[in-house]
């Protein structure tokens, strides 16, 4: 019933997403058990939004950004207004979920959700293509003024060839 739109290992099982359902796979050896739930899944084109912050899975659904702890997803994107976003890419740094998405005009927008404070912050229009977390750092490939750059954020600083106006956006 539709294309798969994402997959993730979460809390000891594997979840396969479609836009309007999820398939959880249980078991260590065959035969596996598959449980299907008709709930908000991952939006087509937003498979890179799947990220785990602490024990919560975050992702971009067709209707908004969801937090998922294993039961029902919760839409946490109301503070972002009613704008429709697509093609989400997510990353994690400490207790923060970073998500870069395209608006209806295809302009990229970067938001941060601080899980500890339960607040959203609109960062800027950085076009992030990929995020990767490693050893307490967040690496990302972003396009600034038409140039792709590889950068590193360590929670206090951003290292890369960014101009001064973007250098502090991870603080």
């Amino acid at each position: 019933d539709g294309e798969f739109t994402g997959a993730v290992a979460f809390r000891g099982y594997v979840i396969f997403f479609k836009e309007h359902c999820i398939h959880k796979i249980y078991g260590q050896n065959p035969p596996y058990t598959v449980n299907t739930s008709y709930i908000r899944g991952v939006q087509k084109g937003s498979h890179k939004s799947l990220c785990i912050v602490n024990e919560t899975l975050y992702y971009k659904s067709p209707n908004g950004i969801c937090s998922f702890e294993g039961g029902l997803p919760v839409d946490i994107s109301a503070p972002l207004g009613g704008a429709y976003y697509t093609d989400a890419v997510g990353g994690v740094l400490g207790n923060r979920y970073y998500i870069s998405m395209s608006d209806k005009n295809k302009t990229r927008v970067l938001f941060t959700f601080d899980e500890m404070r339960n607040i959203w912050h609109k960062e800027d229009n950085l076009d992030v293509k990929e995020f990767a977390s490693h050893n307490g750092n967040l690496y990302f490939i972003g396009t600034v003024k038409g140039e792709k750059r590889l950068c590193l954020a360590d929670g206090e600083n951003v290292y890369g060839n960014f101009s001064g106006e973007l250098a502090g956006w991870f603080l």
Side-chain angles (χ1 to χ4, degrees):
D1 61 342
E3 296 179 45
F4 286 101
T5 57
V8 68
F10 181 64
R11 293 195 175 181
Y13 47 87
V14 178
I15 303 174
F16 290 94
F17 290 87
K18 295 184 178 182
E19 281 199 325
H20 302 291
C21 74
I22 65 169
H23 303 284
K24 288 184 191 177
I25 313 297
Y26 297 90
Q28 299 291 330
N29 299 305
Y32 300 106
T33 302
V34 178
N35 181 345
T36 300
S37 299
Y38 292 91
I39 58 177
R40 286 172 286 193
V42 172
Q43 180 183 51
K44 184 177 178 179
S46 293
H47 59 281
K48 293 180 183 179
S49 69
L50 288 157
C51 291
I52 299 169
V53 180
N54 299 318
E55 292 78 36
T56 303
L57 175 64
Y58 294 93
Y59 61 91
K60 173 69 176 77
S61 78
N63 303 349
I65 299 165
C66 293
S67 68
F68 182 74
E69 295 183 358
L72 295 175
V74 175
D75 185 340
I76 61 168
S77 57
L80 304 182
Y84 182 73
Y85 295 100
T86 59
D87 304 312
V89 177
V92 176
L93 181 61
N95 296 312
R96 291 169 284 178
Y97 174 56
Y98 293 87
I99 186 164
S100 176
M101 306 176 283
S102 295
D103 67 13
K104 66 180 179 181
N105 299 318
K106 300 295 181 197
T107 300
R108 297 295 285 181
V109 183
L110 178 66
F111 294 97
T112 304
F113 178 70
D114 186 321
E115 187 180 71
M116 297 300 286
R117 294 176 180 87
N118 198 34
I119 59 170
W120 281 101
H121 180 74
K122 181 177 179 182
E123 300 289 351
D124 54 32
N125 293 93
L126 182 65
D127 180 5
V128 177
K129 300 296 185 195
E130 301 281 343
F131 283 108
S133 298
H134 181 69
N135 289 338
N137 296 313
L138 181 63
Y139 298 86
F140 59 95
I141 297 173
T143 303
V144 178
K145 298 180 183 173
E147 292 183 32
K148 286 186 183 176
R149 299 186 182 164
L150 174 62
C151 298
L152 160 69
D154 66 4
E156 295 179 20
N157 299 293
V158 174
Y159 302 97
N161 296 322
F162 284 103
S163 63
E165 75 244 19
L166 294 174
W169 63 271
F170 272 95
L171 297 178

